[in-house]
Short mmCIF file of all heavy atoms in Angstrom, two decimals:
data_model
loop_
_atom_site.label_atom_id
_atom_site.label_comp_id
_atom_site.label_asym_id
_atom_site.label_seq_id
_atom_site.Cartn_x
_atom_site.Cartn_y
_atom_site.Cartn_z
N LYS A 116 102.94 108.71 122.78
CA LYS A 116 101.58 109.23 122.75
C LYS A 116 100.62 108.12 123.10
O LYS A 116 99.72 107.80 122.36
CB LYS A 116 101.24 109.82 121.37
CG LYS A 116 102.08 110.99 120.96
CD LYS A 116 101.68 111.54 119.63
CE LYS A 116 102.61 112.73 119.23
NZ LYS A 116 102.28 113.23 117.94
N GLU A 117 100.79 107.57 124.31
CA GLU A 117 100.02 106.36 124.75
C GLU A 117 98.49 106.58 124.75
O GLU A 117 97.74 105.64 124.65
CB GLU A 117 100.50 105.94 126.12
CG GLU A 117 101.84 105.27 126.18
CD GLU A 117 102.99 106.25 126.15
OE1 GLU A 117 102.79 107.49 126.17
OE2 GLU A 117 104.15 105.81 126.10
N GLY A 118 98.02 107.78 124.87
CA GLY A 118 96.60 108.03 125.02
C GLY A 118 95.77 107.97 123.70
O GLY A 118 94.61 107.87 123.72
N VAL A 119 96.45 108.00 122.58
CA VAL A 119 95.76 108.05 121.26
C VAL A 119 95.97 106.70 120.51
O VAL A 119 97.04 106.37 120.05
CB VAL A 119 96.31 109.20 120.37
CG1 VAL A 119 95.60 109.23 119.07
CG2 VAL A 119 96.28 110.53 121.09
N LEU A 120 94.87 105.96 120.51
CA LEU A 120 94.94 104.64 119.82
C LEU A 120 94.70 104.74 118.31
O LEU A 120 93.88 105.55 117.86
CB LEU A 120 93.90 103.63 120.42
CG LEU A 120 94.15 103.21 121.84
CD1 LEU A 120 93.13 102.19 122.31
CD2 LEU A 120 95.53 102.63 122.02
N VAL A 121 95.45 103.91 117.56
CA VAL A 121 95.33 103.83 116.14
C VAL A 121 94.90 102.40 115.75
O VAL A 121 95.51 101.47 116.18
CB VAL A 121 96.65 104.16 115.46
CG1 VAL A 121 96.57 104.00 113.96
CG2 VAL A 121 97.13 105.56 115.84
N ALA A 122 93.85 102.24 114.92
CA ALA A 122 93.43 100.95 114.44
C ALA A 122 94.22 100.68 113.14
O ALA A 122 94.21 101.50 112.20
CB ALA A 122 91.93 100.93 114.18
N ALA A 123 94.87 99.55 113.11
CA ALA A 123 95.71 99.18 111.95
C ALA A 123 95.55 97.67 111.74
O ALA A 123 94.72 97.03 112.33
CB ALA A 123 97.17 99.58 112.25
N GLU A 124 96.42 97.16 110.89
CA GLU A 124 96.45 95.74 110.63
C GLU A 124 97.94 95.33 110.70
O GLU A 124 98.81 96.15 110.48
CB GLU A 124 95.94 95.38 109.22
CG GLU A 124 94.47 95.59 109.10
CD GLU A 124 93.98 95.22 107.70
OE1 GLU A 124 94.43 95.82 106.72
OE2 GLU A 124 93.11 94.36 107.57
N ALA A 125 98.19 94.08 111.05
CA ALA A 125 99.53 93.53 111.10
C ALA A 125 99.51 92.10 110.53
O ALA A 125 98.43 91.47 110.48
CB ALA A 125 100.04 93.50 112.54
N TYR A 126 100.64 91.65 110.13
CA TYR A 126 100.79 90.28 109.67
C TYR A 126 101.15 89.40 110.79
O TYR A 126 102.21 89.48 111.39
CB TYR A 126 101.88 90.19 108.54
CG TYR A 126 101.38 90.88 107.26
CD1 TYR A 126 101.76 92.21 107.00
CD2 TYR A 126 100.60 90.24 106.35
CE1 TYR A 126 101.33 92.83 105.80
CE2 TYR A 126 100.13 90.83 105.24
CZ TYR A 126 100.50 92.14 104.95
OH TYR A 126 100.08 92.77 103.82
N PHE A 127 100.19 88.52 111.17
CA PHE A 127 100.34 87.58 112.27
C PHE A 127 100.68 86.20 111.74
O PHE A 127 100.23 85.83 110.66
CB PHE A 127 99.06 87.47 113.09
CG PHE A 127 98.73 88.62 113.93
CD1 PHE A 127 98.01 89.75 113.39
CD2 PHE A 127 99.09 88.73 115.27
CE1 PHE A 127 97.68 90.80 114.14
CE2 PHE A 127 98.77 89.79 116.05
CZ PHE A 127 98.05 90.85 115.53
N ALA A 128 101.40 85.41 112.54
CA ALA A 128 101.61 84.01 112.21
C ALA A 128 100.24 83.42 111.99
O ALA A 128 99.29 83.71 112.74
CB ALA A 128 102.33 83.29 113.32
#
Side-chain angles (χ1 to χ4, degrees):
K116 298 182 182 177
E117 287 82 2
V119 182
L120 292 182
V121 176
E124 293 178 301
Y126 290 96
F127 287 87

